[in-house]
Amino acid sequence: PLPDGGFVTTFTDVTDRLRQQETLERMVGERTRDLRLAEERLALVANEVPAGIAHLDAAMTFLYANRRFANAYGLTPAQVVGLSAYDLLSGRTMEDSARFFDQARRGVQVDFEMRIDLPDGRSKDVRTLLRPDSQTRGSVTGFYLVSVDVTRTKATAAALMRSQKMDALGRMASGISHDFNNLLT
């Protein structure tokens, strides 16, 4: 308002600012959609690979588990998240793998094989890879765990060894009997 009456109005053209805002909102929407698709693809791959995958923090709490890992313990992935490894894994499994978990929490990449006990009473031989999860500052915040069931592979290798031993024993017995036959002749 002016002292003598009337008023002054100032208009500002905000068309460019609105267009810029619309462009930014469209870009955010597109990137959000792309990120969602990438997450869905990653979840599909993680659930379909023939390996148990989990992510644990430094306190040994599960932050993620794929379907195969959770199913091995009779749970869903959502039920595994938030559990402590000490509550989920058997005492013997924790005891046998503690040194490997400690190394991973210190930032060392670890690969090992061991027999684990499952809640249903079964045991499996697994090859496990532990990969540290490091922040950009270099501090280790936890680790990723990938376990592959090698029970059948080990059983097949053992059967092959037994077969090779039997073959060698058969050849040796054949040679001995041939030599003995020659001596008798």
Side-chain angles (χ1 to χ4, degrees), residues 8 89 96 111 127 144 169 176:
V8 175
L89 306 178
D96 292 348
D111 299 352
R127 175 161 181 74
Y144 294 93
L169 186 61
I176 290 172

Side-chain angles (χ1 to χ4, degrees), residues 6 11 17 23-24 33 35 37-38 68 74 81-82 113 115 122 128 132 149 152-153 156-158 167 175 185:
F11 293 98
R17 194 173 348 143
T23 302
L24 288 174
R33 190 172 39 259
L35 180 59
L37 286 171
R68 186 174 296 265
V81 172
E113 281 189 22
R115 180 168 284 272
R122 293 180 300 139
T128 301
D149 184 355
R152 288 183 185 165
T153 305
T156 303
D167 182 53
T185 302

